[in-house]
Amino acid sequence: MNNPEFDTALFAAASDAEKKTESIVRPSVGYWRDVWTRLSRNRVSFAALMIIVAIMLCAIIIPEVSVDKYNTGELQISNNSPNARHWFGTDNIGRDVFVRVFYGARYSILIGLVAALINLVIGVLYGSVSAFFGGRADIIMMRIVDVLYSIPLTIYVIILMTFLNRPGAEGSEIGTMIIAFSISYWISMARIVRGEILQLKQQEFVLAAKALGASDWRVLIKHLIPNCLGSITVTTMMLVPQAIFLEAFLSFIGLGLSAPRASLGTLCNDALAGLNQYPYQMFFPALMISVIILAFNLFGDGLRDALDPKMKD
Amino acid sequence: MGRYILDRFLASLLTIFVVITLTFFLMRLMPGGPFTSERITEKAREAMNAKYGLDKPVVEQYVIYLRNILHGDFGTSMIFKGKEVTGDIIFQFFPNSAKLGIVSVALSLAAGLGLGLLAGARQGRLADKAATLIATLGITIPSFVIGSVLLYTVGVRLRWLPTTGFTSWRHYIMPAAALSGIGLSFITRLTRTKYVEVKNSDFMRTARAKGLDKSTIIFKHGLRNSILPVITYMGPLIANVLTGSFVIERLFAVPGLGSDFVQSVSRRDYSVVMGVVIFYCIFIIACNFLVDILYVVVDPRIKLQNNA
């Protein structure tokens, strides 16, 4: 190099030590890892998560390993108050309430989770298709949602339960309940996903993907939906307690699981007749429902903050 | 304004029509009929079907049903023969539900607005935390749990209030309180969030600088501007009180439409279930319509548009 403007003596090759100052030694933190860090720093929602996990484990393990079974009881020990042998007491035909509460939690949580997942799929598909293809399809699809939205969902679910769950079809209640919830609760998810995608589809990365020749479905599934995952996750988490609540509500008015199966709602319903004499039979399942719903709500709140710190008010 | 109201009115009519159609076909297309489970001979069943017009083609039944509804006739109960759905059931029981509902909505509004303003005014202080706690618990504890706890403690143990029946004002307290849990919590949250925003706005500072009375500042300037989200919530609130009444009326033995509806559901009294559902939907849609208009009356700044 014989450039008159630079004096080459002023330049020297960097040593290895100097080069290392710029090297990246800490692992790069991905989105979900970041979310996890933020979530575990939020003490309230982390505790809520721990409670959810603990209750789920107990619901799986306790009814299996316990000496008392959820469906067998001895009449001699019926309606015993809580004691050292039966921690939550016994019910009117001598079944252990402690085991039954955890057995009931199984069905409550199962229905909540499955219903939320199905609503997730339906809502995401409906909302994203409506927003992405737009035009007349969007108008018609959103009109349908508006009509469904103006009917109180509980009434709607009650009708579906009545007509789907005819007498003589025993043991089908879980399926019926999940179907009834699934037909109704996807609406909020569809609206949220539609709103997000309407905004996202204007952005440059969508244009870039299209310019590179990506098909509509590929843009939708590979580019748009992954960008809505945050709000989809939060909405799903909020659907779980709603479904658990609705299940308890329906069971309490006699539209729930039939004996010997039990959920927390049917346990409360069964305890109602003897409330004056045996309040503990109502107290424990009612407490369990409240704790589960509270834990899911607090966890959902924390998750929302963790997924998108900007949304925090 | 007139144009907007007309548009909304037509949309409401369309929704009601869709609800009636959906409910009707949902009911008719399911296998079996209202008399399948009764122990009667094939001939008697056919006679029953003919009596209720179930032997005609579905579309013809639908037209007949629509025409009857337009005349305010929802048919007669299929379990209690001869009882009219409109006269003997809906108009018999709904007034009780409506009274309880109004008390509950009033309670939610009064307590929710009060707690929300208090929490917003004392942001970050003890009162704020207490109000937030109440709001969280109110959302998470199901109404029937609140109801049962009240029933057992206040009713059975302390004997302060009567547990069943619906004759004096004392009977309203516990069911209305149990029904108000969710509404109260939502209103508290909405009011608090909005009031925190309003509190620091220019007009509030001006009101303070003028030296106005503290209650005038909070209630005339603060509350009025914080109430919009609460009005938006009135529609869902009414729907919520209505569905909540299904369990609460049963729990406290209130002779209302909610508990009657639940009984009809478990007895599978199809004509009653359908009539009540359609009545509820019309009621809710009418309430939403009124709320929309109220919204514009309260805040004239809102432009009337029909692109919701």
Side-chain angles (χ1 to χ4, degrees):
Chain A
M1 283 263 279
N2 207 355
N3 197 324
E5 286 175 41
F6 296 106
D7 182 5
T8 45
L10 287 174
F11 295 89
S15 71
D16 282 351
E18 277 167 337
K19 278 182 196 160
K20 270 195 186 135
T21 57
E22 285 299 306
S23 69
I24 295 157
V25 284
R26 304 224 297 178
S28 77
V29 180
Y31 177 62
W32 292 103
R33 234 204 132 87
D34 207 24
V35 166
W36 174 250
T37 317
R38 275 197 293 265
L39 186 67
S40 47
R41 268 197 216 125
N42 183 339
R43 265 182 297 163
V44 174
S45 38
F46 196 71
L49 177 64
M50 289 297 117
I51 290 173
I52 294 171
V53 172
I55 290 179
M56 278 173 150
L57 285 179
C58 288
I60 295 169
I61 296 166
I62 288 177
E64 295 302 323
V65 300
S66 166
V67 215
D68 302 297
K69 292 290 166 232
Y70 74 93
N71 54 357
T72 53
E74 290 165 57
L75 282 174
Q76 299 97 298
I77 56 160
S78 64
N79 291 324
N80 278 10
S81 299
N83 53 47
R85 172 76 184 78
H86 300 285
W87 290 352
F88 290 0
T90 55
D91 70 359
N92 60 340
I93 52 170
R95 292 174 295 198
D96 184 85
V97 176
F98 182 74
V99 173
R100 280 178 71 74
V101 163
F102 282 102
Y103 179 79
R106 250 188 210 189
Y107 281 105
S108 292
I109 296 175
L110 179 77
I111 290 172
L113 289 178
V114 175
L117 281 180
I118 295 177
N119 281 303
L120 163 85
V121 175
I122 301 178
V124 169
L125 275 181
Y126 195 96
S128 54
V129 165
S130 176
F132 188 66
F133 295 104
R136 191 165 293 167
D138 186 37
I139 293 173
I140 294 171
M141 286 172 92
M142 282 301 119
R143 265 289 125 138
I144 295 174
V145 162
D146 284 343
V147 168
L148 291 178
Y149 199 72
S150 51
I151 313 166
L153 287 177
T154 316
I155 295 182
Y156 194 42
V157 171
I158 288 176
I159 309 185
L160 285 170
M161 292 281 296
T162 331
F163 297 133
L164 289 175
N165 206 11
R166 289 182 178 260
E170 270 173 49
S172 64
E173 298 98 343
I174 299 180
T176 314
M177 224 174 231
I178 289 172
I179 292 174
F181 289 8
S182 311
I183 306 180
S184 344
Y185 268 75
W186 52 269
I187 295 172
S188 56
M189 176 70 86
R191 286 191 153 181
I192 289 167
V193 172
R194 175 177 173 268
E196 291 250 325
I197 288 190
L198 276 183
Q199 283 183 355
L200 284 172
K201 77 172 188 181
Q202 308 290 344
Q203 292 190 12
E204 286 80 2
F205 69 91
V206 176
L207 188 67
K210 276 186 180 163
L212 287 170
S215 68
D216 282 353
W217 280 105
R218 196 183 153 82
V219 172
L220 191 59
I221 289 166
K222 281 270 171 187
H223 298 282
L224 289 175
I225 292 178
N227 273 298
C228 313
L229 270 185
S231 44
I232 292 174
T233 317
V234 171
T235 314
T236 313
M237 280 314 296
M238 290 304 189
L239 274 175
V240 177
Q242 273 187 44
I244 292 176
F245 180 90
L246 188 62
E247 186 278 329
F249 184 92
L250 291 174
S251 298
F252 197 72
I253 60 177
L255 276 174
L257 306 180
S258 54
R261 282 208 197 129
S263 72
L264 294 171
T266 54
L267 289 178
C268 288
N269 190 26
D270 294 345
L272 186 60
L275 181 67
N276 295 0
Q277 288 85 40
Y278 318 111
Y280 61 89
Q281 291 177 3
M282 167 79 89
F283 176 76
F284 291 109
L287 181 72
M288 185 62 116
I289 299 178
S290 306
V291 169
I292 292 177
I293 296 178
L294 181 66
F296 269 105
N297 272 317
L298 291 178
F299 175 61
D301 277 344
L303 194 63
R304 186 187 50 214
D305 296 343
L307 283 167
D308 187 358
K310 280 177 290 182
M311 276 199 284
K312 196 171 182 175
D313 42 89
Chain B
M1 181 94 183
R3 166 101 194 133
Y4 172 78
I5 292 178
L6 188 70
D7 274 1
R8 290 281 297 126
F9 184 71
L10 291 179
S12 302
L13 281 187
L14 178 75
T15 311
I16 291 171
F17 174 74
V18 171
V19 167
I20 294 173
T21 311
L22 264 181
T23 321
F24 184 89
F25 283 101
L26 191 67
M27 197 173 114
R28 288 295 186 271
L29 294 178
M30 292 290 166
F35 310 112
T36 346
S37 53
E38 275 184 43
R39 289 164 186 275
I40 46 175
T41 60
E42 200 54 44
K43 219 170 183 171
R45 184 170 301 137
E46 273 169 25
M48 293 293 277
N49 280 336
K51 183 166 178 276
Y52 286 96
L54 298 178
D55 53 343
K56 301 194 177 78
V58 179
V59 179
E60 197 186 329
Q61 288 181 39
Y62 173 66
V63 175
I64 294 173
Y65 192 78
L66 271 187
R67 201 167 52 212
N68 287 343
I69 285 182
L70 284 179
H71 290 104
D73 177 14
F74 287 95
T76 54
S77 163
M78 289 179 177
I79 305 290
F80 299 107
K81 313 278 188 282
K83 265 196 161 190
E84 269 188 38
V85 175
T86 5
D88 295 325
I89 293 172
I90 295 179
F91 292 137
Q92 184 72 33
F93 294 113
F94 186 65
N96 288 333
S97 299
K99 279 187 238 165
L100 181 60
I102 290 169
V103 173
S104 163
V105 168
L107 188 67
S108 309
L109 273 176
L113 285 173
L115 273 177
L117 283 181
L118 181 74
R122 308 205 152 256
Q123 195 188 355
R125 310 257 289 270
L126 188 66
D128 183 19
K129 283 177 184 145
T132 312
L133 181 72
I134 293 176
T136 311
L137 289 183
I139 289 175
T140 47
I141 303 179
S143 56
F144 64 85
V145 173
I146 301 178
S148 317
V149 170
L150 283 176
L151 188 65
Y152 182 70
T153 53
V154 182
V156 178
R157 285 283 124 193
L158 299 169
R159 294 179 185 281
W160 286 350
L161 292 167
T163 53
T164 57
F166 204 58
T167 43
S168 77
W169 63 271
R170 292 158 59 87
H171 289 100
Y172 284 71
I173 301 174
M174 287 198 288
L179 263 180
S180 308
I182 292 186
L184 185 153
S185 308
F186 270 103
I187 294 175
T188 304
R189 282 188 175 186
L190 292 171
T191 315
R192 182 192 174 277
T193 313
K194 188 75 186 175
Y195 186 67
V196 165
E197 189 189 309
V198 163
K199 192 170 71 164
N200 300 318
S201 58
D202 291 341
F203 64 85
M204 287 292 277
R205 200 189 306 134
T206 312
R208 271 195 298 273
K210 279 198 295 189
L212 288 185
D213 182 29
K214 203 165 188 183
S215 65
T216 317
I217 300 176
I218 292 183
F219 290 104
K220 195 162 170 222
H221 298 276
L223 182 62
R224 261 201 169 180
N225 284 290
S226 316
I227 213 167
L228 272 185
V230 177
I231 291 178
T232 324
Y233 176 65
M234 288 303 283
L237 175 69
I238 291 168
N240 204 295
V241 166
L242 195 139
T243 47
S245 72
F246 301 164
V247 292
I248 296 303
E249 284 179 7
R250 177 170 176 261
L251 195 60
F252 290 96
V254 175
L257 192 56
S259 55
D260 191 77
F261 175 62
V262 172
Q263 279 170 21
S264 309
V265 167
S266 53
R267 286 196 214 101
R268 289 165 207 279
D269 191 342
Y270 293 105
S271 53
V272 174
V273 171
M274 244 192 99
V276 175
V277 163
I278 292 170
F279 173 75
Y280 275 149
C281 289
I282 294 177
F283 179 74
I284 295 278
I285 290 168
C287 285
N288 282 331
F289 180 58
L290 288 179
V291 167
D292 270 4
I293 293 174
L294 184 67
Y295 198 70
V296 181
V297 172
V298 172
D299 192 348
R301 285 173 301 183
I302 292 164
K303 279 242 175 81
L304 294 170
Q305 283 171 333
N306 200 13
N307 55 2

